[in-house]
Amino acid sequence: MYSPRDRRPPAWLFAAAAALFPAAALAHPGHGAAHGFAHGFLHPLLGWDHLLAALAVGIWAGQRGGRTVWLLPAAFVGATLVGGGLALAGLNLPGVEAGIVASVLVLGTLVATASRFSDAAALALVAAFALFHGHAHGAEMAPGLSGVIYGAGFAVATAALHCAGVALPTLILRRRKSWVRLAGAGIGLSGLVLVLA
């Protein structure tokens, strides 16, 4: 039976808009700190490898449920900032590109198989992959930008991608678990393409 509630946008849509609105307001290039924030914010969104890995972390967190819904994204964002700090400090991290490609392949596979192992192991894996992503973000920062403001930008964008990923299994497709796994398979295949490329 029809209900007016059926036509309301889902709650996660409002949450995502609220998270992105302040970033959009600051994203006017050429305005000092806002310029650095905009660069940092756009960086994870414009690279398929970063975007897919962040979405996969969110989807996997949503699949797992419980406290990992927020722990896995928090670990990824935190370790991304650490990795970015390492790059800005001039410390090299070996195998950054390989680590990023592996993250897309592995995280997509974990979603596709709805893998479950200990929270500690999941956190360690996600944080390790995030170090590579963060290092790449830091190394690719444009000269003359504030590392703190730029880092805040890519942290907010990454968190927004995690929120979108969590929404997929928990709100949008909760009755279609096979579709969530299919999304993971698509991410994993994208990682395989990146490996072959």
Side-chain angles (χ1 to χ4, degrees), residues 3 9 11 14 21 34 36 43 56-57 65 69 74 81 112 136 146 153 156-158 165-167 192-193:
S3 164
F14 292 112
F21 184 78
H43 197 268
V57 168
V69 166
L81 291 171
S146 160
V156 169
T158 302
V166 167
L192 186 59
V193 169

Side-chain angles (χ1 to χ4, degrees), residues 5-136:
R5 291 184 56 163
D6 296 337
R7 298 191 58 152
R8 288 191 314 187
W12 66 265
L13 189 59
F14 292 112
L20 294 175
F21 184 78
L26 288 171
H28 298 293
H31 296 345
H35 185 59
F37 187 94
H39 275 268
F41 185 84
L42 290 174
H43 197 268
L45 304 177
L46 298 178
W48 281 104
D49 46 3
H50 300 296
L51 187 145
L52 290 172
L55 279 174
V57 168
I59 296 170
W60 193 39
Q63 269 183 327
R64 292 173 62 91
R67 62 185 190 151
T68 55
V69 166
W70 63 270
L71 276 176
L72 290 182
F76 193 93
V77 171
T80 300
L81 291 171
V82 171
L86 292 175
L88 294 177
L91 299 171
N92 288 328
L93 192 62
V96 169
E97 288 305 317
I100 290 171
V101 170
S103 74
V104 178
L105 177 61
V106 172
L107 291 167
T109 302
L110 292 172
V111 171
T113 58
S115 269
R116 292 206 174 264
F117 42 83
S118 75
D119 289 354
L123 286 167
L125 180 69
V126 163
F129 283 143
L131 279 175
F132 294 118
H133 285 271
H135 196 280

